[in-house]
Amino acid sequence: NAGVMQNPRHLVRRRGQEARLRCSPMKGHSHVYWYRQLPEEGLKFMVYLQKENIIDESGMPKERFSAEFPKEGPSILRIQQVVRGDSAAYFCASSPQREGGPLHFGNGTRLTVT
Amino acid sequence: ELKVEQNPLFLSMQEGKNYTIYCNYSTTSDRLYWYRQDPGKSLESLFVLLSNGAVKQEGRLMASLDTKARLSTLHITAAVHDLSATYFCAVDRQIQGAQKLVFGQGTRLTINP
């Protein structure tokens, strides 16, 4: 049973370009969460999605960031016109249910903006 | 706003010693999680603590939860080098059914031979 799959593992973008981060949840999991980890810090919640629905995006910056979880295919976190401050590790997590169990995290995508 | 604070943030210890990491949180929550993260890797779930007085043990690690004091501890017994990692506690914040974990800053644990 494959875990949460994220790709790419490392992504380098120049300022102003777009970054697309992909996440395939564990089999049977329909809830996806995106977290951001800045260097030497804990993880900060960004967005919670179910298939075709954004449930809670209170942690997402208002501009340039968007997320989706389509009926078919992986969840996508999209960052437009990246800036240096977007450099971070972005982790996706999934769970089979709304509450109660630990989240299962992917290996993360490390975004570097040059 | 829910805040989660860990201390210490950095901990260097000798193999064979015992130590405790503390996790305080600011508002009522029913669930507390401990995760381990190795450098450049993902987070591995260690413990889920569901109720006041809960205690769980796995190998040299033991976690406990006091919901009245809003405090969880992660105790390391007779540390070994393999336990070197960053340890995070996280508190479950339920908002409109969404399981939103709020993480502490992490404790970077280094165990020296």
Side-chain angles (χ1 to χ4, degrees):
Chain A
N1 187 12
V4 178
M5 304 298 291
Q6 287 187 250
N7 70 83
R9 290 293 306 276
H10 300 274
L11 182 61
V12 179
R13 285 286 178 265
R14 290 200 187 96
R15 276 181 298 173
Q17 291 185 318
E18 178 179 287
R20 280 187 179 236
L21 288 63
R22 294 175 191 77
C23 168
S24 296
M26 283 182 73
K27 189 175 179 182
H29 288 194
S30 57
H31 302 258
V32 166
Y33 301 78
W34 285 94
Y35 283 80
R36 176 164 64 176
Q37 184 178 33
L38 294 170
E40 310 298 328
E41 292 188 12
L43 279 74
K44 298 283 193 287
F45 169 83
M46 298 183 74
V47 61
Y48 161 49
L49 310 105
Q50 294 178 29
K51 285 281 185 184
E52 300 185 279
N53 283 307
I54 297 174
I55 308 301
D56 182 347
E57 56 182 348
S58 58
M60 289 267 277
K62 296 286 185 262
E63 296 177 351
R64 302 187 298 108
F65 284 72
S66 62
E68 62 176 9
F69 189 16
K71 188 176 179 182
E72 302 290 338
S75 175
I76 307 284
L77 179 67
R78 183 179 174 212
I79 311 172
Q80 294 178 290
Q81 299 175 322
V82 296
V83 300
R84 288 230 173 96
D86 297 334
S87 295
Y90 292 82
F91 287 94
C92 171
S94 72
S95 72
Q97 59 199 22
R98 261 189 174 173
E99 56 186 86
L103 298 183
H104 299 266
F105 284 85
N107 284 329
T109 293
R110 278 148 187 87
L111 172 66
T112 302
V113 179
T114 61
Chain B
E1 182 188 342
L2 174 58
K3 289 190 171 130
V4 181
E5 292 188 350
Q6 290 180 234
N7 75 84
L9 299 184
F10 297 93
L11 179 56
S12 181
M13 51 194 289
Q14 297 285 335
E15 277 193 328
K17 300 289 188 186
N18 304 332
Y19 211 82
T20 301
I21 300 170
Y22 297 88
C23 173
N24 289 91
Y25 53 99
S26 59
T27 62
T28 303
S29 179
D30 292 327
R31 277 179 289 270
L32 189 136
Y33 304 81
W34 283 97
Y35 285 89
R36 167 183 171 147
Q37 185 180 37
D38 291 296
K41 299 291 179 63
S42 185
L43 281 79
E44 174 193 351
S45 175
L46 295 174
F47 301 107
V48 181
L49 301 169
L50 300 177
S51 59
N52 188 41
V55 177
K56 290 198 174 177
Q57 182 161 6
E58 181 74 33
R60 300 174 189 274
L61 300 178
M62 183 172 72
S64 65
L65 178 62
D66 181 344
T67 57
K68 290 177 184 171
R70 297 177 189 159
L71 170 70
S72 179
T73 60
L74 181 66
H75 187 73
I76 303 143
T77 302
V80 293
H81 180 68
D82 287 353
L83 291 179
S84 296
T86 300
Y87 292 85
F88 291 96
C89 65
V91 176
D92 196 337
R93 181 173 170 228
Q94 290 284 325
I95 294 195
Q96 298 176 341
Q99 181 186 4
K100 186 187 298 185
L101 293 186
V102 179
F103 282 81
Q105 315 95 306
T107 297
R108 184 180 292 181
L109 174 63
T110 303
I111 297 168
N112 304 305

